[in-house]
Amino acid sequence: MLRLKRRNIRIYNNYLMKKKFIYFGVLILLIGGCSRNSDREKHYSKYGKVINIQEKLHSIEIKNVLIGQYGHLYLIDKYLIIGDHMSPDKQIHLFDKNSFNYILSTGYKGKGPNEITILGNIATDKVHRKFYVSDHGKLKIFSYDLDSLLANPLYLPNIKISMDKSRFPAGYEYINDTLCFGCIIEPIGNNDFKPCVGKWNMLTNEVQLMKYEHPDVKKKRTITAVSSNLGLYVEAYTRHDLITVGTFNGELRYNIYGPKWETKLSKNGYYGSTNFCKDKIISTYLADNRIKKEPNGKIRSAYPTKFVIFDLEGNYLQTWETGYEITNFVYDEENNRLIIRIEDADVQFAYLNLDGLL
């Protein structure tokens, strides 16, 4: 009887040891999972390292051509391209990116065969010195040969491809004819759409969407930035305090959650124009009401005055306060500077030298 009792005690003790071992193993897995997950989830309670750089901005005086409120910036070779869909006649303007001297304008507005009805993205083919202009009215992409245009300002483009209205590219980086990467728009009904990140074949219109989507965001509004050199993309959310960084293979690198992150769609605006700058990610940042009321009672969109800077691991580095509302910007790698479009009565364009800042 005593031996039986001791045997039962040993069995029970062994059971407890096995149970503790299982619990301990599960705990290790959970801790390990949290640790791995934390590498992909970057949470920031504030972006507190603020540097005022307003005095470092250099105003650019644009002569010989009027640029509207929403001029968008692109670079190819030694040229700065400004796309201006508000222009009444020619919507694409070329400047010397070093001196900012005006060169010519093209992209006639209209419904004619070589005219543009609704100007969209401009993608640059730096190897073949071409740029591709989206017309979202005609759902066509026009091909411009840069050298032909420079030789003859009356040069007219060719049609590169007709876009598929069920899925079409918005902002994208041209890598080659069979591989473009960036934002793909999926229309939803008649009055809504969903922006996605994906690969797009310019020859066949074939689209391959990236598989990662943030599980807590139900209505996406994003700005996409792409680096073919790094094989990375950024989705900067305009209505959530969130940035997602992924690879060209569709794998999530990390999410950056800002100080005002919440899952519901916010009335505030957050990230705007975003670019890779060498080994940094730079984005404009508002974190405030996206609607601004002027003293005269006029209502308009509010734009960020700040840049936030992250490294390629998603670590927040610093914030630059410019004192001006920024609509968009590009990174001029050759001169290591940002060229910036500003919403201000006195300053429309400016550049910022990054030497000593990054």
Side-chain angles (χ1 to χ4, degrees), residues 19-31:
K19 196 170 184 180
K20 287 180 181 179
F21 180 78
I22 292 171
Y23 285 158
F24 181 74
V26 170
L27 182 61
I28 291 297
L29 288 175
L30 288 173
I31 293 173

Side-chain angles (χ1 to χ4, degrees), residues 23 46 99 122 130 156 164 170 198 273 287 298 305 324 332 347:
Y23 285 158
K46 64 178 181 178
S99 65
I122 299 176
K130 296 178 182 290
L156 295 175
D164 184 344
S273 185
K298 184 180 178 181
T305 65
Y324 295 105
D332 177 5
V347 181

Side-chain angles (χ1 to χ4, degrees), residues 237-241 259-260 262 266-272 284-293 300-306 321 325:
Y237 287 70
T238 63
R239 302 287 299 278
H240 294 83
D241 203 346
K260 295 186 178 182
E262 56 183 1
S266 174
K267 294 181 180 179
N268 287 342
Y270 288 98
Y271 302 94
T284 60
Y285 184 67
L286 180 62
D288 202 349
N289 198 317
R290 61 193 181 90
I291 304 299
K292 185 171 184 176
K293 187 173 183 178
R300 68 171 179 85
S301 297
Y303 296 100
T305 65
K306 299 179 178 66
E321 174 60 69
E325 290 186 78

Side-chain angles (χ1 to χ4, degrees), residues 50 57 65 86 122 139 151 162 219 225 268 273 291 303 322 344:
V50 182
L57 293 176
V65 63
M86 299 293 288
I122 299 176
L139 282 177
S162 295
K219 189 178 181 71
N268 287 342
S273 185
I291 304 299
Y303 296 100
T322 69
D344 188 84

Side-chain angles (χ1 to χ4, degrees), residues 5 55 58 67 70 147 150 174 194-195 215 281 295 350:
K5 187 175 182 180
E55 293 185 355
H58 301 270
I67 307 294
Y70 302 106
D147 293 319
L150 292 170
Y174 175 91
K194 180 181 178 181
I281 297 168

Side-chain angles (χ1 to χ4, degrees), residues 219-234:
K219 189 178 181 71
K220 284 178 65 177
R221 291 293 182 265
T222 56
I223 303 292
T224 304
V226 174
S227 172
S228 56
N229 292 332
L230 297 170
L232 297 176
Y233 72 85
V234 169

